[in-house]
Amino acid sequence: MVHDLETNDQPITIDSGGLSIEGMLHLPKGSTEKAPGIVICHPHPRYGGDMHNNVVLGLTKRLTRDGFAVLRFNFRGVGGSEGMFDWGGGETDDADAALETLSLHDEVDGSRIGIAGYSFGAAVAIQSATDSTMAHAVAAIACPAPQFRAFSGMELLQPKLFVLGDHDHNFPVDQFRFLCRRFADPRQSEVVSGADHFFRGSEALLGEMTSEFFTTWLKR
């Protein structure tokens, strides 16, 4: 697990349809201008996923180091967040609420907001970007194959980054690459060599890929 996030950290409460959702806002140090912002969605709560996940923290560390404000949060029913698991529907509402909360923060540039997610959180991030205009770019890491297949037939106009480990246990790389081509441009797909679905040991590389992607689209 990645620790030692060098940021100005602020616990934050998100209102998601009347539910209190707990989050942590990380603001880059030394910034004199409003920062672009990224919301990060964690993996499946039923399998222990929360905002302290290794991939979530790895992304947070690199993004804040590179000048982004990052909001990670616990979906409904996880940690200190109210509510119950909702199989993706309510969790998408939580992500939408997190995007709105981040965009309205005094130190964040609401016109430069992106969303990222890992595993279950990747599916939520894509759905949120599909439903809403708040996210101007989306990064999806190890989105589960069934959801990714469904999304590939939908209209998603924002810039997209898709990442998969070449040893992912339930998503063959050839299928991943084929489905990526079904998404509209601009899109970018990356396969991490030697990584399985959990990306242990690859957190820094994921952070680098994701930061470079968001820098391209949100720091122009």
Side-chain angles (χ1 to χ4, degrees), residues 115-197:
I115 189 168
Y118 163 50
S119 193
F120 171 84
V124 171
I126 295 173
Q127 186 65 61
S128 178
T130 301
D131 294 344
S132 168
T133 59
M134 286 187 289
H136 298 283
V138 56
I141 298 168
C143 183
Q147 289 92 328
F148 196 70
R149 186 179 301 109
F151 287 129
S152 69
M154 299 171 64
E155 187 175 76
L156 181 62
L157 300 180
Q158 297 98 320
K160 298 160 285 291
L161 170 66
F162 303 128
V163 183
L164 187 74
D166 67 352
H167 285 71
D168 195 292
H169 59 278
N170 66 357
F171 204 160
V173 170
D174 288 347
Q175 184 183 84
F176 169 72
R177 287 177 169 148
F178 170 77
L179 292 174
C180 285
R181 292 194 292 271
R182 296 179 61 183
F183 286 87
D185 288 324
R187 67 178 187 270
Q188 176 184 344
S189 61
E190 302 288 347
V191 175
V192 179
S193 179
D196 61 14
H197 189 76

Side-chain angles (χ1 to χ4, degrees), residues 4-24:
D4 300 322
L5 299 174
E6 297 179 358
T7 61
N8 297 317
D9 304 340
Q10 300 177 6
I12 195 166
T13 300
I14 301 161
D15 180 5
S16 179
L19 294 177
S20 177
I21 302 297
E22 72 167 337
M24 182 67 72

Side-chain angles (χ1 to χ4, degrees), residues 90-108:
E91 287 77 14
T92 301
D93 292 341
D94 299 341
D96 293 345
L99 285 167
E100 183 174 8
T101 298
L102 183 61
S103 69
L104 294 174
H105 193 277
D106 289 343
E107 297 183 51
V108 175

Side-chain angles (χ1 to χ4, degrees), residues 28 36 61-68 207-208 211-212 215 219:
K61 183 174 183 178
R62 180 57 185 254
L63 287 165
T64 50
R65 194 195 83 176
D66 290 349
F68 292 91
E208 179 182 0
S211 182
E212 288 179 355
T215 294
K219 285 192 170 185

